[in-house]
Amino acid sequence: MSEIAVYKVPESVAANTFCTEGQYRDLYKQSINDPIAFWSEQKNCVDWFRDPQIIKNTSFSGEVSIKWFEDGELNVSYNCIDRHLPSRANEIALIWEGDNPAESAKVTYGELAREVNRFANVLKSLGVKKGDRVTMYMPMILETTYAMLACARIGAVHSIVFGGFSPDAVASRLDDCQSSFIITADEGLRGGRKVPLKANVDAAIVELAASTGRSVDTVLVVRRTGADIAMTKGRDVWYHDVSQDVSDHCDPEPMKAEDPLFILYTSGSTGKPKGVLHTTGGYLVWVTMTFKYIFDYKPGEVYWCSADVGWITGHSYIVYGPLSNGATSLVFEGVPNYPDASRFWNVIDNFKVNIFYTAPTAIRALMREGEDFVKATDRSSLRLLGSVGEPINPEAWNWYYTVVGEGRCPIVDTWWQTETGGVLISPLPGATPLKPGSATRPFFGVKPALVDADGNILDGATEGNLVLMDSWPGQMRTVYGDHERFIQTYFSSYKGLYFTGDGCRRDEDGYYWITGRVDDVINVSGHRMGTAEVESALVAHEDVSEAAVVGYPHDIKGQGIFAYVTCKAGVEPTDQLRSDLVKWVRKEIGPIASPDVILFAPGLPKTRSGKIMRRILRKIAENDTDSLGDTSTLADPSVVDDLIRTYRVAT
Ligand code: 6R9
């Protein structure tokens, strides 16, 4: 094996950090040996209306119950806004960069306070109450952040649906959390193209009525593009109309630490997406603290996370983590390659961005465009880079480090999940020597372990399935409305341990190297997709009798979607059908679920008990048919030869 480069902490970084290597070791040790003492102190990174005395009350066994700071009271929007006002009212909270490079805006903490209070009063005036679920289907505009914080202010629970999802996906999420209030915009704008958000909401409401008989009471519409859209009387209202007369003041609702803050749907290996529930106190402590330490954020710096707010990364590290710290957070409406591949770097220059956090898929896509787009820009404001969403291959890491960061900026490769609320494994810039491709070491209070298939905990340098041995404050509390599914999904594989679904290697220095999902979840451009979801969309098509979906290595996306489809008897597998099926999946789930390859298969390899052997399908999709392994347990081994033949003809 080639020698792995290790990048020491630069002295200039170590000299100006919240946490040096020695401090990391001491604090980490305390956080594991005496979590109560550790969190009794660290909880003070947020302001409590009522200071909690009960710090940790968690169990990974039996019924699984996770409570942190349970007798405390606080409000998230108070922490993200009000507490900064005495000192920072005139400092910038949000910078907005539109899809069109000519459009941008800056919002001070004082202005943010006014906008959020007004939005909260609008929600109240439309009947939204504490505990109500508010579905949001929004573009990356400032009002999206206002709406999130407004929900938090009055104790409503937001459920954001990524703007790239289809009406069907909106409908099923509306139904799952029994939400009857939607916030959307007339249209979104991405890469110069319009996204018909309001029209999609209308279609979702029709779909919801058809499939469940349920209706939606209110659709609150923010004007973005000014498109001429249909408004249903008695149900749809324009934000600019209803906000005209509301007051600038709305008291923050005191919330119990374990009151829900938001639901966010994410894909798993089975069934439809799960409503991941995060609560108020532990989540806020976690994102506040991780943001401060991992980005080593200093007052006055400009921070930019290029994620969409429809994903957990946007929730935790565009909105809640940065604003709770009083940071300046940049909200970007556009895409990395519009108008051209210099966009990211131009935005960094225009706003003197100091900390930039993006995904490997974006880095790989820009890397392919060549260095000139980077070199045409200055980037001297940058001092720290971050990566999230999937393993970053060393080639992309090196390009990010040397070309984008000019060898000056440490990279924090942050491993975490929707379920974990915030980062669990990551370097700290002033404390951790870097190895390209490794998420390095656990954050405070995080106790990772590697287990074998039987759940035995493995010691030393080894490889296994990544589990967490104890709770951390940012952990999800349940699957909304289905606690049994929560237990089944995360705590039934290995008794008493939280199973992440990821495989992982630990090296001789105790560094963690995430190797990717070991379950039936695929990671396409950093977006999680359950193979079961794509399969069920495919079999819902009238010409399809059976489908099996696997991931395969893809240069830009990390993983691509490979679908094996068996047609119903009498259906001709044509190119037309293939493109119809791609369109169909886009409609059912959304563009991010479009299969990259559809292979028509006369039969799928199954065990005698009828289980599809995905291991074999993965190998064929990877074009690695020399090591198919044991096929003798198949009901009909000849199916495999047929598949390989079909694959060769097709490619
Ligand atoms: C934050 C987020 C979670 C899955 C996770 C893992 C993969 C995320 C990673 C990473 C290697 C990293 N993942 N960050 N793998 N290195 N730095 O992405 O949440 O959308 O729920 O995805 O993403 O496989 O299990 P989510």
Side-chain angles (χ1 to χ4, degrees):
M1 211 167 100
S2 63
E3 191 71 12
I4 288 165
V6 179
Y7 294 80
K8 292 211 185 79
V9 175
E11 264 165 41
S12 57
V13 176
N16 183 27
T17 178
F18 287 120
C19 190
T20 60
E21 173 115 48
Q23 286 166 329
Y24 168 76
R25 284 189 198 284
D26 292 347
L27 272 177
Y28 182 74
K29 213 179 286 159
Q30 191 207 4
S31 75
I32 298 299
N33 294 344
D34 193 352
I36 307 291
F38 181 82
W39 291 109
S40 297
E41 192 178 327
Q42 299 300 333
K43 69 164 171 45
N44 297 327
C45 67
V46 309
D47 283 10
W48 299 84
F49 294 153
R50 183 186 161 171
D51 198 37
Q53 304 302 312
I54 308 172
I55 300 300
K56 179 175 189 282
N57 180 5
T58 67
S59 163
F60 280 5
S61 306
E63 282 307 292
V64 182
S65 165
I66 294 151
K67 293 182 185 157
W68 284 87
F69 316 116
E70 61 189 280
D71 59 339
E73 283 181 13
L74 73 167
N75 181 283
V76 167
S77 94
Y78 177 89
N79 273 281
C80 289
I81 305 169
D82 306 50
R83 69 161 164 164
H84 309 309
L85 294 179
S87 58
R88 310 180 57 94
N90 296 322
E91 287 176 34
I92 305 298
L94 297 170
I95 297 172
W96 178 74
E97 166 81 5
D99 185 58
N100 174 346
E103 281 190 281
S104 69
K106 286 183 179 171
V107 180
T108 64
Y109 272 94
E111 290 161 344
L112 178 67
R114 177 173 180 273
E115 295 296 340
V116 170
N117 277 277
R118 292 175 66 80
F119 213 114
N121 282 328
V122 166
L123 295 180
K124 275 187 170 172
S125 74
L126 295 170
V128 178
K129 300 204 170 51
K130 183 171 177 170
D132 287 354
R133 274 81 54 222
V134 170
T135 300
M136 293 174 49
Y137 185 61
M138 294 288 280
M140 288 289 287
I141 57 178
L142 290 165
E143 285 81 356
T144 308
T145 301
Y146 303 156
M148 292 167 78
L149 291 166
C151 286
R153 196 159 190 91
I154 65 172
V157 182
H158 59 70
S159 161
I160 304 187
V161 182
F162 171 57
F165 278 131
S166 68
D168 284 10
V170 178
S172 72
R173 286 156 175 77
L174 277 168
D175 182 44
D176 186 83
C177 69
Q178 301 281 298
S179 158
S180 54
F181 194 103
I182 308 180
I183 308 173
T184 190
D186 47 4
E187 291 178 321
L189 208 52
R190 288 190 85 227
R193 283 206 295 266
K194 292 180 171 162
V195 186
L197 295 173
K198 173 61 166 65
N200 285 352
V201 164
D202 292 343
I205 294 171
V206 170
E207 165 63 29
L208 180 71
S211 58
T212 69
R214 287 192 49 232
S215 61
V216 162
D217 299 332
T218 310
V219 181
L220 177 58
V221 189
V222 175
R223 184 149 68 196
R224 166 64 189 102
T225 63
D228 185 18
I229 53 160
M231 296 290 279
T232 299
K233 238 194 153 132
R235 187 195 71 187
D236 302 351
V237 288
W238 283 107
Y239 183 76
H240 59 256
D241 285 339
V242 284
S243 61
Q244 259 173 24
D245 301 322
V246 297
S247 121
D248 289 358
H249 185 82
C250 170
D251 277 333
E253 184 72 25
M255 303 297 287
K256 298 216 171 69
E258 286 300 338
D259 281 339
L261 177 64
F262 65 84
I263 300 165
L264 182 58
Y265 287 85
T266 193
S267 299
S269 47
T270 55
K272 54 181 180 127
K274 296 178 286 275
V276 168
L277 183 79
H278 283 290
T279 57
T280 303
Y283 173 82
L284 189 68
V285 167
W286 194 257
V287 297
T288 303
M289 197 178 162
T290 49
F291 177 81
K292 172 174 160 172
Y293 279 93
I294 292 167
F295 299 107
D296 213 13
Y297 184 83
K298 316 286 182 336
E301 288 189 314
V302 178
Y303 160 89
W304 177 18
C305 164
S306 76
D308 191 284
V309 94
W311 309 111
I312 191 69
T313 306
H315 284 59
S316 300
Y317 298 110
I318 294 176
V319 180
Y320 293 121
L323 297 181
S324 176
N325 279 283
T328 301
S329 180
L330 193 148
V331 174
F332 177 48
E333 187 182 30
V335 295
N337 56 1
Y338 175 83
D340 65 34
S342 283
R343 186 68 191 273
F344 273 177
W345 327 123
N346 283 330
V347 173
I348 286 170
D349 284 353
N350 287 345
F351 297 106
K352 303 278 173 281
V353 172
N354 306 109
I355 304 165
F356 180 57
Y357 190 32
T358 193
T361 185
I363 299 167
R364 287 191 299 265
L366 294 173
M367 187 166 94
R368 196 178 59 169
E369 302 293 328
E371 295 184 6
D372 291 352
F373 286 105
V374 190
K375 297 228 156 118
T377 64
D378 177 51
R379 287 159 291 108
S380 59
S381 58
L382 281 178
R383 71 155 181 86
L384 182 67
L385 300 169
S387 172
V388 59
E390 53 176 315
I392 178 163
N393 47 311
E395 197 193 358
W397 195 101
N398 284 325
W399 189 82
Y400 200 25
Y401 186 79
T402 42
V403 180
V404 176
E406 293 173 342
R408 175 183 74 241
C409 311
I411 297 178
V412 288
D413 175 2
T414 62
W415 174 84
W416 58 296
Q417 312 178 297
T418 306
E419 293 88 337
T420 68
V423 177
L424 296 197
I425 303 182
S426 169
L428 303 185
T432 318
L434 307 173
K435 298 184 190 181
S438 172
T440 76
R441 300 189 294 210
F443 193 73
F444 307 125
V446 174
K447 220 174 151 185
L450 303 182
V451 295
D452 66 16
D454 301 322
N456 301 306
I457 293 184
L458 307 169
D459 290 329
T462 185
E463 190 162 346
N465 290 339
L466 179 63
V467 297
L468 297 156
M469 300 182 68
D470 200 356
S471 182
W472 61 99
Q475 182 171 25
M476 75 183 279
R477 300 305 196 249
T478 191
V479 170
Y480 188 78
D482 196 349
H483 194 66
E484 193 48 42
R485 192 168 173 204
F486 177 57
I487 301 172
Q488 271 305 317
T489 308
Y490 304 104
F491 301 94
S492 68
S493 304
Y494 308 109
K495 284 272 162 293
L497 303 171
Y498 168 88
F499 178 40
T500 63
D502 279 319
C504 183
R505 183 167 71 80
R506 185 174 49 220
D507 69 17
E508 50 293 338
D509 296 323
Y511 274 39
Y512 289 84
W513 301 71
I514 311 294
T515 52
R517 301 290 299 201
V518 294
D519 54 10
D520 290 321
V521 171
I522 48 185
N523 191 325
V524 183
S525 300
H527 302 320
R528 264 167 79 167
M529 191 55 50
T531 52
E533 271 172 86
V534 186
E535 286 163 8
S536 74
L538 284 166
V539 294
H541 189 277
E542 56 181 7
D543 290 341
V544 174
S545 88
E546 201 168 36
V549 168
V550 297
Y552 73 101
H554 187 289
D555 283 351
I556 304 289
K557 301 179 183 182
Q559 278 189 302
I561 300 180
F562 195 116
Y564 294 85
V565 170
T566 307
C567 296
K568 285 194 179 145
V571 172
E572 192 65 26
T574 58
D575 284 344
Q576 182 60 46
L577 178 58
R578 187 178 279 121
S579 73
D580 287 352
L581 289 175
V582 172
K583 276 194 213 115
W584 173 261
V585 174
R586 291 172 74 94
K587 180 186 110 26
E588 291 277 302
I589 306 175
I592 57 171
S594 306
D596 297 279
V597 182
I598 292 182
L599 190 71
F600 289 114
L604 295 172
K606 290 184 189 162
T607 62
R608 288 187 196 101
S609 63
K611 271 212 169 84
I612 294 174
M613 284 186 81
R614 288 162 188 285
R615 176 174 59 80
I616 293 176
L617 295 179
R618 268 186 223 118
K619 291 276 183 200
I620 297 173
E622 288 165 14
N623 198 11
D624 178 16
T625 46
D626 294 338
S627 57
L628 285 181
D630 184 12
T631 55
S632 63
T633 55
L634 287 173
D636 177 6
S638 75
V639 168
V640 175
D641 298 328
D642 285 346
L643 274 181
I644 294 174
R645 219 169 303 127
T646 321
Y647 177 83
R648 298 235 160 95
V649 173
T651 52

